[in-house]
Amino acid sequence: MNAGFPIPLQVNGATAPLCRLQGVTKSFGKLVANDDVSFSVMPGEVVALLGENGAGKSTAMNVLCGLYLPDAGTVEVDERPMALGSPAASVARGIGMVHQQFKLVPSLTAYENVSLAVDRGRVWQRRRPSDEVRRLMAEVGFDLDMGKPVWRMSLAERQQLEILRVLAQGARILILDEPTSVLSPLESERLFMLVRRIVARGRSVILISHKLSEIRQVASRLVVMRGGRVVFEGSAAGRSSEEIAGLIVGTRSVSLAARPASAPGPERLVVENLRVTGHSGRDSVHDVSFKVRGGELVAVVGVAGNGQAELLDAIGGQKPPSAGRIVASGSRKGRGFAFIPAQHLGVALAPGLSIEDNALLGVHRRKPFSVWLRRREVRRHCGRVQDTFGVVADPDSAIRRLSGGNLQRIVLGRELVGDPDLIVASYPTRGLDIAAAAQIRNALIARAAAGAAVLMASEELEECLAIATRILVMSGGRIVLDRATAQTSLNEIGRFMTAAEAS
Ligand SMILES: Nc1ncnc2c1ncn2[C@@H]1O[C@H](COP(=O)(O)OP(=O)(O)OP(=O)(O)O)[C@@H](O)[C@H]1O
Ligand SMILES: [Mg+2]
């Protein structure tokens, strides 16, 4: 274990770091989000920045790209100090970040979006990519139709475009914050191919991810944070997933409960001939029928964009179906039915309200609350919601200040309080660290084992095979495979997921 070890790092023959954080400290009120954070990034390397939810990863990256002014510390690029707290200074020194929420203008074309970022201040508008942008596209291998408007692009295409835009601005250090959380396994592979090409010419990538298998695939070095501090910095080579997990969670162990033994109870969710029409007027869900009984934990999987998200949104009442029928035990307003949408801020949570008010959303008319909201009851309820998955924060603080993982924990804590009989969860472990993900999986397993019906969408096939009793594969808006987990395999599921692509 070391932080600031005196042996000079050497990557690809280079000995001078491209960028170095030294003693970066940043507090929010009493909370020290970054405590004396120091690490370097060498040219040509992929550094994985790891740590549990709330460890301080995004804060450190926000300091690096000028969004936060630290209380103490310095950042050097090419061994020269960089002005802090200025996004323009960070961009000028070659730091670029792709945020989880993309910053593209949907009504403009791909090229117009790039142009907006690089041609600012030009007198005449170019209609086609400049030689420079075209050279960049060929060098890195971007596969994009630059004349296509962004709203017609898939999430994976939008992400490529974001990366292109940041590189076109001259980024030499590219920060990717949980980039694969919106991608299918195949799309993730493609992204990593781009990442390898990006670093091949001496640029560097800082990758934030909770998925250990992909870290082992692309990272050359690991920087692990815990409680705001860097607790490990070292080579990634030859480390197993277990070893990396150990570095992240320290001594705490992470274990998964056994899949619920399926002794199906009463039907709790019936979906018949469901059709959902998407924005473009095309059907995103075609004639889908299935049932979920008490005691079952059913996972819906598929390549992103094949109707899984729309199916769950329709069941959760977020999107009206254009045909078909949904019969659910317990109404949305009653206590029996919990829905966890894929998007938190703005759908499941009100960004401007406090944690306490958000913990109350949707349950404010149930017991113990009545016409009067007694302050003591509200406080106690919020404590229960926070404790369910261990969110340590001041209940009066604005919810949008929470880290990505903690937002997810609040939604789940709120929805699972009161032991619902039917749980519909859209990507419930997305963005969660390994310990929290295991905790949520265990909570879903426990509800199913206690007789609840659970339906979840997930992009992690290993997760589904481990915890689901049944798996539904969607492709082109239809269910193309519906099978008990014990009777299928990763191989078979993968084949059905990509069957439409291949034909
Ligand atoms: N603007 C802010 N105001 C108040 N607190 C903040 C702010 N930004 C971050 N925090 C707090 O600082 C801590 C570190 O948050 P940060 O977002 O850096 O974590 P993270 O490692 O990126 O976690 P995750 O994996 O969940 O994204 C958290 O406790 C978070 O609530
Ligand atoms: Mg984060």
Side-chain angles (χ1 to χ4, degrees):
M1 305 269 277
N2 84 82
F5 205 63
I7 296 173
L9 286 165
Q10 204 172 359
V11 176
N12 306 337
T15 47
L18 196 50
C19 156
R20 189 205 305 269
L21 279 80
Q22 190 78 54
V24 168
T25 297
K26 175 73 184 170
S27 303
F28 299 104
K30 276 178 289 179
L31 186 121
V32 188
N34 276 181
D35 185 1
D36 194 19
V37 169
S38 304
F39 66 89
S40 319
V41 179
M42 305 295 287
E45 68 174 354
V46 180
V47 172
L49 183 57
L50 309 174
E52 296 183 279
N53 296 133
K57 307 176 295 291
S58 296
T59 302
M61 294 304 99
N62 284 335
V63 167
L64 196 53
C65 63
L67 291 172
Y68 288 166
L69 180 66
D71 308 326
T74 57
V75 175
E76 283 177 6
V77 176
D78 300 322
E79 303 190 286
R80 282 184 300 119
M82 180 179 86
L84 298 176
S86 154
S90 291
V91 170
R93 298 296 297 278
I95 292 168
M97 179 153 175
V98 174
H99 294 266
Q100 283 181 284
Q101 262 82 32
F102 299 154
K103 303 198 180 317
L104 300 167
V105 185
S107 58
L108 298 183
T109 64
Y111 180 63
E112 285 166 334
N113 270 279
V114 172
S115 169
L116 210 55
V118 296
D119 292 343
R120 205 172 284 171
R122 286 183 83 88
V123 180
W124 78 93
Q125 309 266 330
R126 280 190 292 229
R127 299 210 162 260
R128 299 162 51 91
S130 63
D131 291 346
E132 226 172 298
V133 170
R134 253 179 293 154
R135 207 174 319 119
L136 194 58
M137 288 180 69
E139 178 205 322
V140 180
F142 287 101
D143 178 21
L144 288 169
D145 172 0
M146 296 302 282
K148 199 173 181 182
V150 166
W151 66 270
R152 286 188 44 212
M153 294 183 139
S154 70
L155 279 171
E157 287 175 311
R158 288 181 203 201
Q159 184 180 56
Q160 279 200 29
L161 180 60
E162 275 278 11
I163 294 173
L164 174 63
R165 192 179 65 97
V166 169
L167 292 179
Q169 279 183 317
R172 290 176 303 141
I173 300 157
L174 181 70
I175 305 166
L176 302 173
D177 196 349
E178 298 185 36
T180 60
S181 63
V182 296
L183 302 181
S184 69
L186 205 68
E187 292 167 336
S188 300
E189 292 290 333
R190 263 179 228 147
L191 172 68
F192 295 147
M193 243 166 56
L194 292 184
V195 164
R196 289 192 196 99
R197 299 243 192 109
I198 288 168
V199 299
R201 296 276 180 97
R203 295 188 198 91
S204 309
V205 169
I206 302 179
L207 171 73
I208 300 181
S209 171
H210 293 293
K211 297 184 189 166
L212 303 183
S213 57
E214 50 185 59
I215 289 158
R216 293 183 55 223
Q217 254 183 70
V218 283
S220 37
R221 218 150 49 79
L222 310 176
V223 173
V224 182
M225 294 185 69
R226 204 182 302 147
R229 306 183 67 101
V230 173
V231 293
F232 177 85
E233 187 180 357
S235 164
R239 281 185 212 283
S240 66
S241 293
E242 290 74 33
E243 209 177 330
I244 300 174
L247 292 171
I248 295 170
V249 298
T251 51
R252 278 187 305 116
S253 69
V254 194
S255 63
L256 197 61
R259 187 196 303 158
S262 190
E267 286 171 4
R268 296 204 191 276
L269 175 69
V270 179
V271 174
E272 273 171 10
N273 308 107
L274 194 75
R275 183 178 292 273
V276 181
T277 308
H279 289 304
S280 53
R282 274 183 308 168
D283 284 345
S284 43
V285 175
H286 289 282
D287 197 26
V288 162
S289 303
F290 66 95
K291 291 174 184 159
V292 186
R293 294 169 174 273
E296 284 194 302
L297 200 167
V298 177
V300 180
V301 304
V303 174
N306 275 276
Q308 309 92 292
E310 290 83 356
L311 172 65
L312 268 75
D313 277 352
I315 297 170
Q318 301 281 302
K319 200 172 237 169
S322 38
R325 209 161 73 102
I326 300 166
V327 185
S329 68
S331 74
R332 266 301 286 142
K333 291 197 192 80
R335 56 165 64 247
F337 183 177
F339 176 61
I340 293 122
Q343 198 184 342
H344 312 138
L345 286 180
V347 178
L349 300 167
L353 298 182
S354 66
I355 296 177
E356 187 171 273
D357 289 341
N358 272 287
L360 203 60
L361 281 185
V363 299
H364 56 286
R365 290 195 192 283
R366 295 187 207 163
K367 278 182 182 157
F369 313 114
S370 57
V371 183
W372 311 109
L373 288 175
R374 274 196 304 273
R375 181 129 193 99
R376 203 144 42 92
E377 297 286 3
V378 172
R379 189 50 43 126
R380 200 178 306 143
H381 172 77
C382 182
R384 261 206 315 269
V385 168
Q386 286 188 242
D387 289 348
T388 312
F389 296 110
V391 179
V392 185
D394 176 2
D396 290 322
S397 58
I399 196 124
R400 71 183 125 81
R401 301 259 184 258
L402 287 181
S403 76
N406 278 337
L407 291 173
Q408 175 72 309
R409 293 179 196 206
I410 291 282
V411 175
L412 280 146
R414 181 185 71 200
E415 295 298 320
L416 297 187
V417 153
D419 297 338
D421 294 328
L422 172 61
I423 300 169
V424 175
S426 212
Y427 306 99
T429 59
R430 193 184 264 175
L432 290 177
D433 63 50
I434 30 184
Q439 207 184 355
I440 305 264
R441 287 173 194 143
N442 286 341
L444 295 177
I445 292 171
R447 282 311 304 146
V454 182
L455 177 71
M456 70 166 196
S458 170
E459 57 244 320
E460 292 189 48
L461 299 182
E462 273 103 13
E463 162 178 278
C464 297
L465 283 171
I467 73 171
T469 57
R470 219 168 95 217
I471 296 198
L472 307 181
V473 179
M474 283 188 81
S475 174
R478 296 172 201 277
I479 292 179
V480 292
L481 182 77
D482 178 346
R483 196 150 293 171
T485 311
Q487 269 133 46
T488 187
S489 63
L490 201 57
N491 218 313
E492 183 179 48
I493 295 168
R495 239 184 15 251
F496 277 88
M497 278 172 71
T498 51
E501 262 184 23
S503 67

